[in-house]
Amino acid sequence: MMWQAGPRRQLPDAKMALVVLLICFVFNMLGRGIGDTYVTFLLPLETEFGWTRSELSSVYSIYMVANGLSAPFVGILFDRWGPRLVYLLGVGSLGLGYFLAGNLTQLWQFHLCIGVAGGIGISAIGMVPSASLISRWFPHSTSTAIGIAYAGFGAGTLVLVPFAQYLNQAVGWRDAYHVMGGSLLIALPIVMLLPWRVIRAGYGAREKLRNSQRAVDDAFTNANTSVQPKSSPLRAALRHSGFWGLAQAFFFTSVVVYTVLVQMIAYLVSTGFTPIEAASAFGFAGMLSVLGVGSAGRLADVLGPRRTATLTFMCTTLGLASLLALSYFPSHWFLMSFVVFFGIAQGARGPIISGLCSKLFPGPGLATIYGVAYACMSVGAATGAMMSGFLYDWTGGYQASIIFSMLNVILAVSPFWVYRELRKFG
């Protein structure tokens, strides 16, 4: 009987680990997908209000800044109060902001609803809580599991961006915002009813919930002994050069991606493709990113983070070169080349950096530390979005943005080769 008791106790934990991974995947899909839908609203808003491209890009930039600056606070809130409050805050903020966006008439109102409320909401349901939960449930295959959760980003882009484009054309941009925001608000009771106490506990800690939450926290603390600083975990991480290497990689990778991503649909339309073709290309790139992101974590576990990251940046460069060629030689072949190379590498650095963060700073405070690093990613995305609008208004075209993005690839990949703390994982 004692021999049989072990499997019966372990089987629910194994199943629960998969449930937690699925939850992280779904919330990442919703957050990233809804955030990326702004690219489908760019032209309708420009047509109705006559705002410049830099003004329109500023909404996305504020969204990314709010997403990044709120990430450390989301991590602190997660470490202190757990995932239930964090996810309810995220879904509620995102749903309310997008529902109200359907009634707006001023640019500052979009800054507030789409930028601030949307950014905070997406941060609260994104990779900051996911990375901490996954490290608790997948201690031996963290990078692989994080890669699967990150694949939700690509799935969200694949599903929600074309859907938003369809809503824009079918019911108009105002009702499109109403549909997306209202759906999230309706989902709040479902989020409330998820078994968050068990989800928070981590693998092997379910039975200890019967005694006290303190026992759960102690079990999780004692399970991670690689880094146990006496001072604040965040303060210790800020003194670690590996943290700054991850922050640099996060920042410049986002500059590379979002300098072209925000105006990708408008750019493709300007080269002769229809809005649906452009949105479909955007979504197909997201679909390929599911494959790339899902494989990146596993490749990092097998080949090492440095080689895997370098390979993904080579694909990104080839994709950007194809996108640049489109401005001179419009062709479905160049479009296909861009979608394949850029799409398969889009987001692939996320699980690599997240996996390294969980290895460098395991234990209490991981959500807070990752939140600060994630903030650098969001600030980089905001910088890229602003530069894309500025360069378009300055030059009247998109070539300067693409070249600027290609130059930033060097700064994005260099931490994996320069920082000693990151090289040792190569």
Side-chain angles (χ1 to χ4, degrees), residues 176-194:
Y177 273 131
H178 287 151
V179 170
M180 290 191 296
S183 299
L184 290 171
L185 294 176
I186 292 172
L188 274 175
I190 300 175
V191 178
M192 173 74 76
L193 294 175
L194 290 174

Side-chain angles (χ1 to χ4, degrees), residues 125-399:
I125 65 174
M127 277 307 300
V128 174
S130 291
S132 184
L133 290 176
I134 288 172
S135 70
R136 300 181 185 196
W137 285 96
F138 295 89
H140 304 298
S141 54
T142 307
S143 294
T144 301
I146 287 178
I148 295 173
Y150 252 105
F153 287 178
T157 301
L158 170 65
V159 174
L160 294 178
V161 171
F163 177 66
Q165 183 66 52
Y166 166 76
L167 288 177
N168 270 289
Q169 295 183 337
V171 299
W173 68 268
R174 292 188 181 275
D175 284 336
Y177 273 131
H178 287 151
V179 170
M180 290 191 296
S183 299
L184 290 171
L185 294 176
I186 292 172
L188 274 175
I190 300 175
V191 178
M192 173 74 76
L193 294 175
L194 290 174
W196 291 113
R197 292 187 70 229
V198 175
I199 292 172
R200 181 183 187 181
Y203 195 93
R206 290 159 60 102
E207 292 184 358
K208 298 181 181 180
L209 286 170
R210 299 171 185 173
N211 299 324
S212 66
Q213 187 62 45
R214 183 185 299 274
V216 174
D217 294 336
D218 291 340
F220 177 66
T221 301
N222 294 332
N224 297 277
T225 57
S226 298
V227 176
Q228 293 293 334
K230 296 181 180 180
S231 61
S232 164
L234 178 59
R235 292 178 182 176
L238 293 176
R239 294 194 295 266
H240 198 291
S241 61
F243 171 85
W244 295 107
L246 297 179
Q248 178 183 335
F250 251 149
F251 178 86
F252 286 105
T253 298
S254 295
V255 172
V256 169
V257 173
Y258 285 92
T259 299
V260 300
L261 201 63
V262 176
Q263 301 198 67
M264 173 182 162
I265 290 180
Y267 169 62
L268 293 178
V269 170
S270 72
T271 59
F273 297 98
T274 67
I276 287 295
E277 285 178 326
S280 298
F282 192 100
F284 191 67
M287 182 186 71
L288 289 176
S289 76
V290 175
L291 174 62
V293 172
S295 304
R298 180 58 181 167
L299 286 175
D301 286 336
V302 175
L303 300 178
R306 180 172 57 184
R307 293 177 180 176
T308 306
T310 303
L311 178 62
T312 65
F313 280 114
M314 291 172 63
C315 290
T316 298
T317 303
L318 290 173
L320 291 173
S322 300
L323 189 65
L324 183 62
L326 267 176
S327 62
Y328 301 101
F329 309 102
S331 165
H332 282 86
W333 289 106
F334 281 127
L335 177 62
M336 185 182 302
S337 176
F338 163 72
V339 167
V340 170
F341 287 111
F342 188 87
I344 205 167
Q346 181 182 334
R349 277 71 58 159
I352 299 172
I353 298 173
S354 301
L356 286 173
C357 188
S358 66
K359 292 176 182 178
L360 288 172
F361 311 106
L366 173 61
T368 303
I369 295 169
Y370 184 80
V372 176
Y374 188 88
C376 298
M377 183 276 290
S378 297
V379 174
T383 302
M386 282 298 295
M387 286 300 299
S388 70
F390 170 75
L391 291 172
Y392 177 85
D393 288 341
W394 183 39
T395 64
Y398 299 92
Q399 294 91 337

